[in-house]
Amino acid sequence: MNRYLIKNNIKLMYRSWGNILLFVIMPVILVFCLSSAFDTLMSKYEETDMTAGYRIEGDGITQEMIDAMAEVAEENSITLNEYPTGDPEKLIRDNGLTGFIVFKADTYTVYEDSSAKGKVLEYFVNEFYGNASAAAMGVDTDAVKLTVEHPEYKKSIDSKDYYGIVEIIYFGWCAIVAGAGIFMNEKKYKIRKRYQVANLTPFKEYMSKFIPIAVIASIGTVIAALLTVVLLGVHWGNPLLSIGILIASVAAASAFGIMIYNITDNMISTIIITFVIVWIFGFWGGAFETYLFSSHPMILKMISPLYHINRALTELSCMGQSDFVGSAVGYSGLIIAAASGIAILFGQIRKRGRA
């Protein structure tokens, strides 16, 4: 009986093939739009050369020191140009300088632009003066150079990969749309009365809907993910694990959508309620404003299942591993179990009401 019902419900879903097609195409279109719009915001930092100006006002620094500083600066991608006259701040604006150094009798002043490069210039001058002073006092020093360290950090992800992943997840949570054909045709052809005659249990009735919706929605979501790879070059890290998390997410969304339908017994209400809840989950979880830059309280993010799934898949993409894999799968499993139980309960209540 179950096998027959699952097969029949899949046929009902294919009668509304347009919904399934939109389920595949729309996330790809949204990925293309958002990744283009936020490309500059999430672009990776690329080291570029710096140009700074300087002026000597006094006898505190010799030409030999200036020549040595210019040589060391060149090794660190900093070009020093002398400007004998002019206001330092105006020279920075007019010439696109990173900063300006004014050498006086016993001190120096570093004028900086608003970028982080200005701090790099200040650090360079401080290091040079420190090493030069030590050498003047007879301390043996190596060639003056910037100290370069490589602390551990989390690798960044570009907008194409980020939105190429999170929007697929977001649309996957609208899985109930793919199953709309089942519920609409169920009422249209009064299929529920046949279930009553067959004495179908609420559990079997639920599974006959959950399995085809979860399977078709998962296939559609995976196809959409593959399209992002082929058309946009989105990088999904650890493909097998990523697909597993994605399928678990869609299965949770399918159970959640059926639960809402069994409570409301109305397809329009189900879609509206589901979309509102999923939008909130997506808003907290980084589907629109990236969770990297999001200012939402952490407790709200942790409530959203999409946050766990988004983090797991995006970190797998850029780092190859994620501490959120367990919580993403666990959260999805918890939703499947809880939503299925509630859906079966309301199905049984409705069945008793019709008896």
Side-chain angles (χ1 to χ4, degrees):
M1 175 62 75
N2 269 355
R3 201 176 303 173
Y4 169 78
L5 290 175
I6 291 171
K7 183 179 179 181
N8 187 63
N9 282 335
I10 290 176
K11 289 180 179 179
L12 292 178
M13 290 174 67
Y14 276 118
R15 290 185 181 181
S16 302
W17 61 269
N19 292 340
I20 301 175
L21 187 61
L22 287 174
F23 190 75
V24 173
I25 295 176
M26 287 305 296
V28 179
I29 295 174
L30 189 59
V31 168
F32 179 81
C33 295
L34 289 178
S35 62
S36 299
F38 291 100
D39 182 61
T40 301
L41 176 65
M42 298 184 66
S43 60
K44 297 178 181 178
Y45 172 76
E46 294 182 1
E47 185 178 357
T48 56
D49 294 343
M50 296 188 298
T51 302
Y54 73 91
R55 179 186 306 145
I56 302 174
E57 297 179 358
D59 301 327
I61 188 169
T62 64
Q63 187 60 45
E64 289 78 9
M65 291 180 67
I66 288 293
D67 292 340
M69 178 179 285
E71 182 179 348
V72 176
E74 196 69 34
E75 294 175 0
N76 291 280
S77 302
I78 302 173
T79 301
L80 295 178
N81 295 328
E82 183 176 10
Y83 294 86
T85 60
D87 177 65
E89 294 182 355
K90 188 174 186 301
L91 288 170
I92 290 174
R93 290 195 303 270
D94 294 346
N95 297 279
L97 303 176
T98 298
F100 197 93
I101 314 162
V102 178
F103 298 101
K104 298 184 180 180
D106 298 317
T107 61
Y108 63 90
T109 303
V110 179
Y111 297 84
E112 306 169 10
D113 65 2
S114 58
S115 70
K117 294 179 182 178
K119 297 296 181 183
V120 174
L121 177 66
E122 181 181 359
Y123 174 72
F124 168 76
V125 178
N126 289 339
E127 285 291 293
F128 181 87
Y129 252 83
N131 280 275
S133 298
M137 290 186 294
V139 178
D140 185 21
T141 60
D142 296 327
V144 182
K145 60 178 67 178
L146 291 177
T147 301
V148 179
E149 297 180 354
H150 299 280
E152 292 184 4
Y153 67 98
K154 290 187 176 181
K155 295 180 181 179
S156 61
I157 186 170
D158 61 28
S159 62
K160 178 185 62 181
D161 286 343
Y162 182 85
Y163 286 107
I165 291 170
V166 301
E167 294 309 323
I168 296 296
I169 298 167
Y170 178 77
F171 269 86
W173 268 78
C174 300
I176 195 65
V177 173
I182 294 176
F183 305 107
M184 293 172 64
N185 286 295
E186 188 179 70
K187 287 193 172 182
K188 182 179 180 180
Y189 297 106
K190 299 179 180 179
I191 297 175
R192 281 184 181 175
K193 290 185 177 181
R194 301 180 187 180
Y195 291 161
Q196 286 180 293
V197 173
N199 197 26
L200 191 68
T201 65
F203 174 77
K204 289 184 178 181
E205 184 178 347
Y206 169 79
M207 293 303 295
S208 69
K209 297 172 183 175
F210 170 73
I211 292 175
I213 293 175
V215 169
I216 297 300
S218 294
I219 292 173
T221 301
V222 171
I223 291 174
L226 291 175
L227 286 176
T228 63
V229 174
V230 174
L231 299 178
L232 301 173
V234 174
H235 173 250
W236 292 75
N238 197 328
L240 291 179
L241 181 57
S242 295
I243 289 175
I245 296 172
L246 202 56
I247 291 174
S249 171
V250 174
S254 302
F256 184 79
I258 298 172
M259 178 193 73
I260 299 296
Y261 180 81
N262 280 8
I263 293 173
T264 63
D265 197 31
N266 184 285
M267 194 60 209
I268 295 176
S269 299
T270 298
I271 289 177
I272 293 173
I273 294 171
T274 302
F275 278 19
V276 169
I277 294 174
V278 171
W279 188 91
I280 294 172
F281 282 163
F283 184 68
W284 289 343
F288 312 114
E289 178 188 21
T290 66
Y291 69 78
L292 293 84
F293 307 134
S294 173
S295 59
H296 306 309
M298 196 64 191
I299 188 171
L300 293 181
K301 296 178 183 179
M302 296 300 287
I303 289 172
S304 169
L306 269 68
Y307 175 76
H308 296 262
I309 300 164
N310 287 346
R311 281 207 63 168
L313 291 179
T314 53
E315 289 180 1
L316 283 174
S317 173
C318 65
M319 297 191 298
Q321 61 181 3
S322 174
D323 295 335
F324 281 80
V325 170
S327 62
V329 175
Y331 211 153
S332 296
L334 182 63
I335 291 174
I336 292 172
S340 297
I342 296 172
I344 292 169
L345 176 63
F346 273 86
Q348 191 166 2
I349 292 172
R350 184 161 290 108
K351 184 176 181 179
R352 287 177 180 175
R354 292 194 301 264

